């Protein structure tokens, strides 16, 4: 897993290169100036995070092992 699996640029966060200081600054400024965008992105990020909760991830891995090993459940 990695950020590509869950990060959606301008939906639940901003994507830019790790050393892009100007990109980070611009993202912070956008959110600072737009409370509606902050709320929307925060809500989207929380919804995305639910898909990666410990319990959900454990269930997905259980299914992967069950299918791989031919278990019934």
């Amino acid at each position: 897993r990695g950020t590509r699996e869950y990060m959606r640029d301008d939906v639940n966060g901003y994507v830019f290169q790790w050393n892009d200081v100007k990109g980070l600054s611009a993202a912070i400024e956008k959110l600072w100036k737009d409370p509606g965008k902050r709320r929307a992105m925060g809500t989207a990020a929380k919804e995305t995070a639910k898909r990666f909760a410990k319990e959900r991830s454990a269930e997905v891995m259980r299914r992967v092992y069950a299918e791989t090993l031919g278990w019934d459940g």
Side-chain angles (χ1 to χ4, degrees):
R1 292 184 173 190
T3 55
R4 290 183 190 135
E5 190 173 352
Y6 60 83
M7 182 60 65
R8 299 292 174 255
D9 191 37
D10 203 37
V11 175
N12 61 2
Y14 289 114
V15 178
F16 43 85
Q17 294 295 315
W18 68 272
N19 60 349
D20 183 1
V21 175
K22 288 182 181 180
L24 174 60
S25 296
I28 291 170
E29 187 173 354
K30 281 184 200 176
L31 292 174
W32 178 261
K33 291 180 176 181
D34 190 344
K37 183 68 169 176
R38 285 196 308 267
R39 279 190 295 280
M41 285 183 106
T43 299
K46 288 176 189 175
E47 289 301 313
T48 300
K50 289 177 185 178
R51 294 187 357 234
F52 296 91
K54 180 173 56 173
E55 297 79 13
R56 171 98 169 99
S57 294
E59 175 58 25
V60 169
M61 290 307 300
R62 188 200 63 73
R63 274 190 268 139
V64 167
Y65 281 110
E67 289 174 16
T68 302
L69 299 173
W71 295 342
D72 286 334

